[in-house]
Amino acid sequence: MLSNDIIQAHNEKLQAEHQFKLSYLTQLLDRKGIDIQTIIDKVKDFQVAIPSWALGTGGTRFGRFPNGGEPRNLEEKIEDVGLINQLNRSSNSISLHIPWDIPSDAAAIKQLLKANDLTIDSVNSNTFQDQKDQAYSYKFGSLSHTKSEVRNLAIEHNIQCVEYGKMLDSKVLTVWLADGSNFPGQSHLRNAYQRTNDSLASIYKAMPEDWTMLIEYKPYEPHFYSMVIPDWGTSYSLCQSVGKNAQVLVDLGHHLPNTNIEQIVGRLMHFGRLGGFHFNGSMYGDDDLTTGSIKPYQFFLIFNELVDGMQDASVKNPPLAWMIDASHNTKDPIEDLLQSVNAILTTYAKALLVDRIALADAQENNDVLRAEELLRDCFVTDVRALVAEASHQAGGALDPIATFRGAKVRSGLVDKRGFSVATGL
Amino acid sequence: MLSNDIIQAHNEKLQAEHQFKLSYLTQLLDRKGIDIQTIIDKVKDFQVAIPSWALGTGGTRFGRFPNGGEPRNLEEKIEDVGLINQLNRSSNSISLHIPWDIPSDAAAIKQLLKANDLTIDSVNSNTFQDQKDQAYSYKFGSLSHTKSEVRNLAIEHNIQCVEYGKMLDSKVLTVWLADGSNFPGQSHLRNAYQRTNDSLASIYKAMPEDWTMLIEYKPYEPHFYSMVIPDWGTSYSLCQSVGKNAQVLVDLGHHLPNTNIEQIVGRLMHFGRLGGFHFNGSMYGDDDLTTGSIKPYQFFLIFNELVDGMQDASVKNPPLAWMIDASHNTKDPIEDLLQSVNAILTTYAKALLVDRIALADAQENNDVLRAEELLRDCFVTDVRALVAEASHQAGGALDPIATFRGAKVRSGLVDKRGFSVATGL
Amino acid sequence: MLSNDIIQAHNEKLQAEHQFKLSYLTQLLDRKGIDIQTIIDKVKDFQVAIPSWALGTGGTRFGRFPNGGEPRNLEEKIEDVGLINQLNRSSNSISLHIPWDIPSDAAAIKQLLKANDLTIDSVNSNTFQDQKDQAYSYKFGSLSHTKSEVRNLAIEHNIQCVEYGKMLDSKVLTVWLADGSNFPGQSHLRNAYQRTNDSLASIYKAMPEDWTMLIEYKPYEPHFYSMVIPDWGTSYSLCQSVGKNAQVLVDLGHHLPNTNIEQIVGRLMHFGRLGGFHFNGSMYGDDDLTTGSIKPYQFFLIFNELVDGMQDASVKNPPLAWMIDASHNTKDPIEDLLQSVNAILTTYAKALLVDRIALADAQENNDVLRAEELLRDCFVTDVRALVAEASHQAGGALDPIATFRGAKVRSGLVDKRGFSVATGL
Amino acid sequence: MLSNDIIQAHNEKLQAEHQFKLSYLTQLLDRKGIDIQTIIDKVKDFQVAIPSWALGTGGTRFGRFPNGGEPRNLEEKIEDVGLINQLNRSSNSISLHIPWDIPSDAAAIKQLLKANDLTIDSVNSNTFQDQKDQAYSYKFGSLSHTKSEVRNLAIEHNIQCVEYGKMLDSKVLTVWLADGSNFPGQSHLRNAYQRTNDSLASIYKAMPEDWTMLIEYKPYEPHFYSMVIPDWGTSYSLCQSVGKNAQVLVDLGHHLPNTNIEQIVGRLMHFGRLGGFHFNGSMYGDDDLTTGSIKPYQFFLIFNELVDGMQDASVKNPPLAWMIDASHNTKDPIEDLLQSVNAILTTYAKALLVDRIALADAQENNDVLRAEELLRDCFVTDVRALVAEASHQAGGALDPIATFRGAKVRSGLVDKRGFSVATGL
């Protein structure tokens, strides 16, 4: 954690410039009949979970270029998320990955979380890698494996994840099933689906009633011919089969080229089955770049769909789990996460500006250009001062990244932790 | 119709070469424990419907280059399909498109169908174009339109299609909904879905109980931002909502780049919701090329999934509707259709050769290479003589296209029908 | 043309709101050391040509829904572009399409152009359609056709286009070659390339020395297996072979999924071979939507590359031809074009704001985040008031679309011209 | 190496079945006027290099599941390739990867190569990973890096590769440049190109005159916004600039979705700049699957283009370097490589069957269907017996994989080498 004086000092330096921009934005929104503080309050309430596995340097199969100071254990990961949250006041929870983050002393971890103003968001199982001395290999699948021994091992692992989650007051199990096949014929596609369905049902039954199971989908990688859960339709049908607390998790990078993701988001909310998000950015595939870094307008359209659904009383979708899932191959991981959260808040704020009554009217009358411009106007409006103000009002930094850089946090971490490589992807 | 003597004469000329190949294939399959006549019989039973709208020259928005002799009315379309079926004995039905194929005299049409050994396969509605003097325009949608007047017009049109179908003993209504939007904001995505759902439910209620509604999906074109029914997941959820006789129709060209179509096919059969196929070939989008002309191995893998599902007693999927839906921009339409049906039969035959017991064993034991080779072996086996023999045994031509060319059918049609352009796409 | 009073009156109504925004933007830029008038002047100088074929309602192969008032001849097309230019003062030229826009009386057309403050930008040949009574068909190609008669016809047509262009003081011939094949084997790929090369060389030789030939590329449509000029590499190699005044034309919609277009733009400028642009927007393919409507950030990155190249003295690229090439299927064509030009100017203005010295420094030192944020800051800055001011200073409307709507121009055009359909796509 | 008795014994067991198939194929081809032995001889001459880095288990960024017996050093890699070549007689060379395969004793390695009937094909540099104690990091690029120290390090490394190659009588340097950027703005696109150009020129100058430099391209991964050499156009322009012995290397997996690769191959041969191939298979991206496993027809069309170019005296392309570059995540690496070589030979054989005179005639006359069927006929013909016979005549196994499995080679290797993990990807 930084001394709050540092944040304070930084904010003071930026204050004049900030007020210049905020004051204009306040008037601009006022002329549209929007009270800026109402939007600021909503932005302050919005919290995005940070994944424990994204605090180290990421890489590709071709290599990894670590830049030092990476957290060496769960405690240091909590420390890093605590710092992020201290700076932006919008990241008050952490997603755990088992077995990387097994808490050796749950009470101590809860203490540490509390000291950092954090909670545990979700627990993520890992059946895409073999752990040392594992009884059976996941080489040919886990929950969908042809052999019941392997499936049972994977089921038990997921149930174990729920147990760890219970210790730390989480209520969400996230299942990303990496099972699939590399060649035609390798897998019996229908049977693999049914085995997966049965395995998920077993895990679901073992979950407490107030837990949610998030089922993620992905069209390819790590398998390159078929994935057992490749698309939202498959996730959705599994949720229907498994139970009412099973929900689809949308990872922005897990779609085929040219997919209209915002429409999928709307569909799932309409069905009451959108459970949450893995935010990131991508140009080609599961590139795991900074959120909003490649297609910011599509990202706005996704948030427009989310806000529209959340504001519509007829939509019976449960509250969503907001999480980042990105990889930081060239940027400093903490800076990258601060940048991503900022992009999320900025985009959320823009979606909150949409005049939904005017939009509904333009849509009803098929005034294509006017409907489009109502959205574009909000996207083009520069709301950065609003997001900075939200952070400021909540006790965070006006410019979290500049504060982080100014305080030379990374070099301090390198001094302390050295160049060991964090668990993660 | 051709004189049967012509077909006979042609077959005689090819007989020696045919026997040489057939005799080898018979032995080859026999060595694998496969009785060739069993496969031939299945191929003979397989019938693919010809769409009335594909008997003329196709085109793109940039233009069309007609080559003459196109059918000028429903009677001539039936004539063309009758000829195709006479040549290959595998195309004994025709798909109608309303309003292009409204039968002015149903009794006479039934007579003509009978004379040509044909039946009506499905009836296809058209709400993607405005007809002369139409009360409301479909410019901004039909079944999903914001205005109830327009939705009702489209609902009535579909019900009218069912009425025409009843006159001609069809039992299938195919709905390809071209509704969508070109720009973000233009359409309220959730509401458009719900309106579509309600419209389809109204049509469904008006259908006789023994009718099937096929709901097609397509990711883009004619709209380029969103389509109301873009993917199998949407079609599937609409079918679930509408009723048990609603089924998903898969058009091979209606997928985003790199989609694993065979897995979708397996999924839908597993759910008992695969209603039928629109066969064609594509490289980039909805290219509507000859079936099997671009990715013949993927086409085989799709048939492998189909045959696997059809042979599995635990799969409760109804019988499928097999239809071609292609466009013939540069080839002679009749030749192109003969080529497509041949590709379908050949691929079906190959899928019938798969040793499913050995494959299941290799899959169960994760012998990836062996499982793959069991499929590849069937794909690589040259079964053309088997398909020719099936046609021959059924009274058709050994080589339908060569017979068609040899008899100079097209120039006869040009003489008779001239250069008018058929209704169609 | 509108009465200037109407524009004046409209501007007055918007003046207060405009000044509020402009005054803030002026200060904001001033704090960054940017003089807003310098940017405004550059925006005023930027002129985008309007294609004659985009003034009517566009469509797809599935249909077209005209909305009336479309221009019936070249004179009325010039009138429409004159109106656009009167409103935005940034569209002072028109691209002609031959044979649709053959001037029957060149002197009169030149007179009309002058009266409308317009010039002719480029002349576009058409060898993707057959014209009535054409000696040979382009069904199987034009400049790449196997038969010299057909090639010569296409060569002559292009030379004829140059002749028409000379009459109207154009100096640019744009060649979009739609030649290609639908099936493997149909075309000999190497020979088709060489024939195209030779045909283009013949046309080039017939051009005056001060003319430029723009060679466009497109990966698919209207052919769906191969296009003779599918990518920038092919256009570029043809330009190298044909002569120094041959340049590559980039149409934003003519790329495979996920293409990094901005890098192609940079490459071609580096080689001194970027001749011009066809602006439009797309999500799936050659969707021909409003410019900037789908991927505005990518569009900004393209302009960033352009401005960077234009400001770099070491880049020896000739001045570029800026043209729109879009289709208006659901929006009013004139409104759509006004919206597109506005998006182009806005994006150009943002690219002009980039601090290239700071950016070069961040790049040199591999400060990834800072380099990225330097660009994002400009993209996120709302410069709409600046573009409005540029139009205003040049005598145009502050809000061209609102002025067009307010003056009820379209209904006047419908009254005058009725519902005939314009030539075009 | 296996005892030749084992191969012999295996061949004898398969002989009867083989003769049955070969005899039919001989007659079948004879009826088409093709002498089977001529084709067999060409297939025997065709040699595909095996990459040293593909003899171990491959993986993704998510993990790797080794299956044991992987080679622990260059000597054991040579042993494995020797075995592959002993079995198929078509893999008589090995591609080296520096620094993984630095020969500590060049004379001994040459001896070992000779004993295994092998040569060194090409030398591959690695600037996409940092080596222990490297003076500068390649994190932000190598040949394109902003800093001359880093560029010089990468240039020196490439020159060093040439030195190692000279020691082992290689004459080819393959450069896959992984440089690129993850975010807009990170890299100055034009400057990065020029620096790459200059670095390659320096390496080229240091190469002996009889060496070839192969320049590979790839659109994305390991960077996800831009790659410095993303497409054939860039590789080609670099080759033009660098020198006459620089050639483009095509890796089948390095293309955007839906790319017509065969046309690129034809283009490059037409320009005399196609240097070689990295064979593999892919469905989504650089999936590095078994060659021919996903799109065998496209693979045939590529070979059709190659054979057409190689048989055309007017094409001035140098002889090509044929290499595999795949990853074996689930299959046994040696089996996978045997399968890939077999797919390559089979496809080559099919392309040799094409009747180019008849094809040219159909193309000339735009008989689309006939031209297509001339190709399809060769693709559909089952030539596996021909390829088996070629192996047999050359002293190899009729069925290399079955022989490998029958002799239980892998379990022997596991016993000997254990479960250490090979260097590679």
Side-chain angles (χ1 to χ4, degrees), chain D residues 173-395:
Chain D
L173 173 70
T174 299
V175 179
W176 170 50
L177 186 68
D179 291 17
S181 71
N182 274 342
F183 297 98
Q186 174 180 347
S187 174
H188 190 280
L189 303 177
R190 285 188 291 109
N191 293 350
Y193 175 87
Q194 191 56 47
R195 290 191 298 260
T196 301
N197 190 341
D198 297 345
S199 296
L200 288 171
S202 299
I203 299 165
Y204 186 90
K205 254 176 241 146
M207 283 191 341
E209 277 199 11
D210 61 348
W211 271 59
T212 296
M213 175 186 282
L214 298 181
I215 303 179
E216 201 167 348
Y217 59 90
K218 186 175 184 183
Y220 63 95
E221 195 206 26
H223 291 97
F224 299 111
Y225 168 64
S226 71
M227 293 286 280
V228 177
I229 312 180
D231 50 22
W232 76 265
T234 304
S235 276
Y236 173 55
S237 65
L238 287 167
C239 288
Q240 286 183 313
S241 161
V242 162
K244 71 178 173 43
N245 288 344
Q247 301 282 339
V248 180
L249 184 135
V250 175
D251 180 299
L252 294 180
H254 294 190
H255 298 87
L256 291 173
N258 303 341
T259 303
N260 185 324
I261 302 173
E262 52 270 35
Q263 183 161 260
I264 293 173
V265 166
R267 284 286 178 279
L268 289 168
M269 290 194 92
H270 194 64
F271 300 149
R273 288 284 189 176
L274 181 62
F277 264 83
H278 274 180
F279 292 122
N280 51 52
S282 78
M283 178 135 168
Y284 303 98
D286 190 27
D287 307 336
D288 276 338
L289 302 176
T290 312
T291 308
S293 62
I294 301 294
K295 295 177 193 155
Y297 188 44
Q298 184 186 43
F299 190 45
F300 165 76
L301 295 171
I302 289 167
F303 254 108
N304 174 56
E305 213 54 41
L306 289 167
V307 167
D308 182 79
M310 294 188 290
Q311 293 180 351
D312 182 339
S314 78
V315 171
K316 304 299 179 206
N317 202 72
L320 285 100
W322 311 107
M323 307 178 249
I324 288 177
D325 186 10
S327 198
H328 321 291
N329 302 359
T330 47
K331 292 178 184 169
D332 181 295
I334 292 176
E335 294 186 8
D336 202 348
L337 289 161
L338 288 168
Q339 207 187 5
S340 285
V341 175
N342 186 265
I344 293 165
L345 298 177
T346 305
T347 308
Y348 176 51
K350 289 180 177 189
L352 288 170
L353 301 183
V354 174
D355 181 342
R356 299 202 178 272
I357 291 164
L359 181 60
D361 180 72
Q363 288 169 340
E364 177 70 20
N365 295 295
N366 294 299
D367 188 341
V368 181
L369 188 141
R370 187 162 152 257
E372 185 193 16
E373 287 295 341
L374 281 164
L375 285 190
R376 279 169 56 88
D377 177 46
C378 301
F379 175 67
V380 171
T381 300
D382 184 355
V383 300
R384 287 176 291 180
L386 185 162
V387 173
E389 180 64 15
S391 174
H392 191 219
Q393 289 185 12

Side-chain angles (χ1 to χ4, degrees), chain B residues 84-106:
Chain B
I84 290 172
N85 190 43
Q86 188 193 12
L87 286 165
N88 71 11
R89 288 292 151 198
S90 301
S91 308
N92 68 9
S93 66
I94 174 167
S95 300
L96 297 191
H97 197 103
I98 304 299
W100 300 332
D101 303 320
I102 293 178
S104 48
D105 177 346

Side-chain angles (χ1 to χ4, degrees), chain B residues 87-304:
Chain B
L87 286 165
N88 71 11
R89 288 292 151 198
S90 301
S91 308
N92 68 9
S93 66
I94 174 167
S95 300
L96 297 191
H97 197 103
I98 304 299
W100 300 332
D101 303 320
I102 293 178
S104 48
D105 177 346
I109 291 295
K110 286 175 78 166
Q111 196 68 27
L112 186 65
L113 286 167
K114 210 178 155 185
N116 279 275
D117 266 339
L118 300 178
T119 59
I120 296 298
D121 163 67
S122 67
V123 187
N124 296 256
S125 56
N126 176 341
T127 63
F128 52 87
Q129 293 175 327
D130 287 348
Q131 304 304 322
K132 204 168 169 304
D133 300 326
Q134 193 173 295
Y136 303 97
S137 171
Y138 295 140
K139 180 166 191 165
F140 297 108
S142 59
L143 297 178
S144 80
H145 200 283
T146 53
K147 306 288 185 196
S148 60
E149 307 89 83
V150 188
R151 293 199 300 277
N152 289 337
L153 187 74
I155 291 169
E156 281 314 308
H157 166 68
N158 273 279
I159 294 173
Q160 190 60 49
C161 287
V162 174
E163 292 309 312
Y164 289 127
K166 283 199 246 175
M167 291 179 198
L168 301 173
D169 303 327
S170 171
K171 291 197 177 311
V172 178
L173 173 70
T174 299
V175 180
W176 171 50
L177 187 68
D179 291 18
S181 71
N182 273 343
F183 297 98
Q186 174 180 347
S187 174
H188 190 280
L189 302 176
R190 286 188 292 108
N191 293 350
Y193 175 87
Q194 191 56 47
R195 289 191 298 260
T196 300
N197 190 341
D198 297 344
S199 296
L200 288 171
S202 299
I203 299 165
Y204 186 90
K205 254 176 238 145
M207 282 191 343
E209 278 198 11
D210 60 347
W211 271 60
T212 296
M213 175 187 281
L214 298 181
I215 303 178
E216 202 167 347
Y217 59 90
K218 185 174 184 184
Y220 64 95
E221 197 208 24
H223 290 98
F224 298 111
Y225 169 64
S226 71
M227 293 285 281
V228 177
I229 312 180
D231 51 21
W232 76 265
T234 303
S235 276
Y236 173 55
S237 65
L238 288 168
C239 288
Q240 286 183 313
S241 163
V242 161
K244 69 177 175 43
N245 289 345
Q247 302 282 339
V248 180
L249 185 135
V250 175
D251 181 299
L252 294 179
H254 293 189
H255 298 89
L256 291 174
N258 303 340
T259 302
N260 184 323
I261 302 173
E262 51 271 35
Q263 183 161 259
I264 293 173
V265 167
R267 283 288 177 276
L268 289 169
M269 291 194 91
H270 195 63
F271 300 150
R273 289 283 188 175
L274 181 62
F277 264 84
H278 274 179
F279 292 122
N280 51 53
S282 79
M283 177 135 168
Y284 302 98
D286 190 28
D287 307 336
D288 277 337
L289 302 176
T290 313
T291 308
S293 61
I294 301 295
K295 296 177 192 154
Y297 189 44
Q298 185 187 42
F299 189 46
F300 165 76
L301 295 171
I302 290 167
F303 254 108
N304 175 56

Side-chain angles (χ1 to χ4, degrees), chain D residues 402-418:
Chain D
T403 309
F404 175 84
R405 286 193 167 195
K408 296 186 191 311
V409 177
R410 178 58 62 189
S411 66
L413 291 173
V414 172
D415 289 350
K416 188 173 148 205
R417 301 173 181 172

Side-chain angles (χ1 to χ4, degrees), chain A residues 146 185 188 190 194 225 227-228 230-232 234 240 256 259-260 262-263 267 270 308 312 315 363-364, chain B residues 146 185 188 190 194 225 227-228 230-232 240 256 259-260 262-263 267 270 308 312 315 363-364:
Chain A
T146 54
H188 190 278
R190 286 188 291 110
Q194 191 55 47
Y225 169 64
M227 293 286 280
V228 177
D231 50 22
W232 76 265
T234 303
Q240 287 183 313
L256 290 174
T259 302
N260 184 323
E262 52 270 37
Q263 183 161 259
R267 285 285 180 278
H270 194 64
D308 182 78
D312 182 339
V315 170
Q363 288 170 339
E364 177 70 20
Chain B
T146 53
H188 190 280
R190 286 188 292 108
Q194 191 56 47
Y225 169 64
M227 293 285 281
V228 177
D231 51 21
W232 76 265
Q240 286 183 313
L256 291 174
T259 302
N260 184 323
E262 51 271 35
Q263 183 161 259
R267 283 288 177 276
H270 195 63
D308 182 78
D312 182 338
V315 171
Q363 288 169 339
E364 177 69 21

Side-chain angles (χ1 to χ4, degrees), chain A residues 60-204:
Chain A
T60 70
R61 62 177 166 133
F62 296 105
R64 195 193 274 217
F65 298 91
N67 70 339
E70 305 187 7
R72 292 162 297 180
N73 49 44
L74 180 51
E75 286 75 5
E76 291 185 354
K77 291 174 186 176
I78 290 170
E79 220 174 79
D80 281 9
V81 179
L83 173 66
I84 290 172
N85 190 43
Q86 189 193 11
L87 287 165
N88 70 11
R89 289 292 154 198
S90 301
S91 308
N92 68 10
S93 67
I94 174 168
S95 300
L96 297 191
H97 197 103
I98 305 299
W100 300 332
D101 303 320
I102 293 178
S104 48
D105 178 346
I109 291 294
K110 286 174 77 166
Q111 197 67 27
L112 187 64
L113 287 167
K114 211 178 154 185
N116 279 276
D117 266 339
L118 301 178
T119 59
I120 295 298
D121 162 70
S122 68
V123 187
N124 296 257
S125 57
N126 176 340
T127 62
F128 53 86
Q129 292 176 327
D130 286 349
Q131 305 303 324
K132 204 168 169 304
D133 301 326
Q134 192 172 297
Y136 303 98
S137 171
Y138 294 140
K139 180 167 192 164
F140 298 107
S142 58
L143 296 178
S144 80
H145 200 282
T146 54
K147 304 290 185 195
S148 60
E149 306 90 82
V150 189
R151 292 198 301 276
N152 290 337
L153 187 73
I155 291 168
E156 281 313 310
H157 166 68
N158 274 279
I159 293 173
Q160 190 60 50
C161 288
V162 174
E163 293 308 314
Y164 288 127
K166 283 199 247 174
M167 291 180 199
L168 301 173
D169 303 328
S170 171
K171 291 197 178 311
V172 177
L173 173 70
T174 299
V175 180
W176 170 49
L177 186 69
D179 291 18
S181 71
N182 273 341
F183 297 98
Q186 174 180 345
S187 174
H188 190 278
L189 303 176
R190 286 188 291 110
N191 293 350
Y193 175 86
Q194 191 55 47
R195 289 190 299 260
T196 300
N197 189 341
D198 297 345
S199 296
L200 288 171
S202 300
I203 298 165
Y204 186 89

